[in-house]
Amino acid sequence: MIINAGGIVGMLVAGRTADRFGPVRVSAVWFLLTAAGALLSARLPLGLTYAVVAVTGVWLFSAQVMVYAAADRVYPPAGRATGLGWVTGIGRTGAVAGPWLGGTLAASGDDRLGFLAFAPAGQVGGR
């Protein structure tokens, strides 16, 4: 619930920020900031854990949505539908593979490893 609440705030902030700086730049920066979710691999006090989860939600969910707006700027008009299809396909692949990877890593006995494994995905998304 905390990560989703952060996502709501994030989408409002990202939209306004993208109006000013452009969706391509905002989605890249937001994905890089999402990698800070790796902090959850540390044993933090409960209040700080909730704060990191909320802030990760702010960046993660809004970065995912901002990619759709960025596709309009990255792909030329003649290839825009194809580009948006690729963006959506890659995103859906991550939506399937992510929980599988997280579950596999959690089942291995080290629940912190999952947070470290997802940080590079945020860094790749920012490039």
Side-chain angles (χ1 to χ4, degrees):
M1 195 164 83
I2 299 296
I3 197 167
N4 287 318
I8 293 167
V9 171
M11 287 185 221
L12 296 171
V13 171
R16 293 293 238 171
T17 307
D19 286 343
R20 183 167 182 187
F21 298 106
V24 174
R25 185 177 296 161
V26 171
S27 64
V29 170
W30 258 235
F31 270 121
L32 291 173
L33 291 171
T34 298
L39 289 172
L40 292 169
S41 65
R43 300 286 183 210
L44 302 172
L46 185 59
L48 187 55
T49 299
Y50 279 138
V52 172
V53 167
V55 170
T56 300
V58 166
W59 294 321
L60 174 63
F61 291 125
S62 56
Q64 290 173 329
V65 172
M66 195 57 55
V67 169
Y68 297 118
D72 179 57
R73 305 284 171 93
V74 173
Y75 295 99
R80 199 162 288 152
T82 302
L84 190 55
W86 273 100
V87 167
T88 304
I90 296 295
R92 293 301 87 207
T93 302
V96 171
W100 170 81
L101 177 61
T104 301
L105 293 172
S108 75
D110 189 357
D111 58 346
R112 298 176 298 166
L113 192 56
F115 298 112
L116 293 174
F118 292 117
Q123 292 172 337
V124 170
R127 300 210 188 279

